[in-house]
Amino acid sequence: MLKLGSFALVLILLAVPCFSQISSSQTSNGGGATAAPPADAPAASLPSAPPVQDTAQGQGKQSKRILGVIPNYRAVSADAKLPPLSVKGKFVLGTQDSFDYSSLLVAGVMAGMGQARNSYPEFHQGGAGFGRYYWHSFADQAVGNYFTESIVPSLTREDPRYYTRFHGGFFPRTGYAISRLFITRTDSGGQTFNFSEIVGNGAGAGISGLYYPQRERTWTKTGQKWADQVALDGLFNFLKEFWPDIRHDVFRQK
């Protein structure tokens, strides 16, 4: 799993300047949704589900990546109607997020930051030290992804995908994005407590203690990792919710 720290700050700096333009566009449309862009490539569909059917005619459409790099496989376009995700589909989703090329790059960035701060002196410096930081960072991501997107959702019959609201103002949509940390859809289409997010990240944080130095295996350290990952997922929910607006109103992508 990733620590919130500097990586989250980078995402905020990339996203926040866009919202004044989004707000202006919504105001010009009477406070409603932004003008519909022409159809773009939908978010990647999984082998177990047919392509997304978007009833909004392009509005709130998610793309495969955010800012051209960050994988966006879990996001569902606004008003899309999807069948339940199979167990196989949930594991495909976790695999996509864990082994996407951007995940390899992010693990390298986090490893470099950790080594520069000497976060784990036991790993030492130099090339060998960077290798230790790297595989720990990569393992954290993969463990967290599989628990929150594959293992726990399969056991609890929850849908790990993020369903874009799109309609409404900035604050209601922000509240909705944050609420998805605690509320999620079931495979049958209802709503339930988000065990996948809360319990899954807790399990991932606990398991990470098995391959970190002894001094990191404390309740405090585990709790910090759990809280950091939940907070980071909240930031990603926020980014997913407003990415269709940013893509259309800021980057003018058609």
Side-chain angles (χ1 to χ4, degrees):
M1 290 174 291
L2 303 177
K3 292 186 177 180
L4 190 57
S6 301
F7 184 62
L9 179 60
V10 170
L11 291 177
I12 293 173
L13 292 176
L14 287 171
V16 169
C18 304
F19 295 120
S20 61
Q21 296 188 44
I22 295 172
S23 177
S24 175
S25 176
Q26 290 180 336
T27 301
S28 65
N29 287 323
T34 57
D40 194 2
S45 59
L46 298 173
S48 58
V52 171
Q53 299 298 318
D54 195 332
T55 60
Q57 298 181 344
Q59 292 184 350
K61 202 128 192 167
Q62 294 284 356
S63 60
K64 294 180 181 180
R65 297 185 183 278
I66 295 175
L67 299 173
V69 178
I70 303 171
N72 197 30
Y73 301 115
R74 295 175 66 184
V76 176
S77 299
D79 301 324
K81 306 298 182 183
L82 297 179
L85 193 61
S86 67
V87 172
K88 177 183 177 181
K90 292 172 184 178
F91 275 88
V92 168
L93 190 61
T95 301
Q96 286 176 324
D97 279 341
S98 297
F99 295 96
D100 185 85
Y101 75 84
S102 65
S103 299
L104 304 178
L105 296 175
V106 169
V109 171
M110 299 307 297
M113 292 170 57
Q115 188 174 39
R117 295 195 301 263
N118 198 30
S119 300
Y120 305 105
E122 298 89 342
F123 292 171
H124 305 296
Q125 296 295 314
F130 178 80
R132 296 185 188 98
Y133 277 100
Y134 184 89
W135 81 255
H136 279 80
S137 296
F138 181 81
D140 286 348
Q141 291 182 90
V143 169
N145 287 336
Y146 275 111
F147 267 103
T148 58
E149 300 176 27
S150 307
I151 299 173
V152 176
S154 296
L155 295 174
T156 58
R157 298 182 180 179
E158 295 172 18
D159 190 335
R161 295 171 290 193
Y162 179 86
Y163 286 81
T164 309
R165 177 175 176 173
F166 186 70
H167 308 290
F170 176 81
F171 290 107
R173 291 173 65 189
T174 298
Y176 169 81
I178 295 173
S179 73
R180 296 308 93 183
L181 294 174
F182 307 100
I183 302 172
T184 191
R185 293 194 184 192
T186 63
D187 289 340
S188 60
Q191 291 193 349
T192 186
F193 178 77
N194 197 343
F195 292 99
S196 301
E197 175 67 30
I198 305 302
V199 177
N201 276 318
I207 288 178
S208 70
L210 299 177
Y211 52 83
Y212 270 89
Q214 182 65 40
R215 71 182 183 90
E216 299 298 321
R217 303 175 189 176
T218 65
W219 286 107
T220 299
K221 293 287 187 179
T222 300
Q224 289 175 344
K225 288 182 179 180
W226 171 81
D228 284 348
Q229 188 59 43
V230 171
L232 187 58
D233 286 347
L235 177 62
F236 276 120
N237 283 353
F238 177 80
L239 200 55
K240 290 172 183 176
E241 176 64 31
F242 289 98
W243 173 239
D245 306 81
I246 297 172
R247 199 175 98 249
H248 177 257
D249 297 330
V250 178
F251 295 108
R252 304 297 180 186
Q253 294 183 4
K254 304 297 183 182

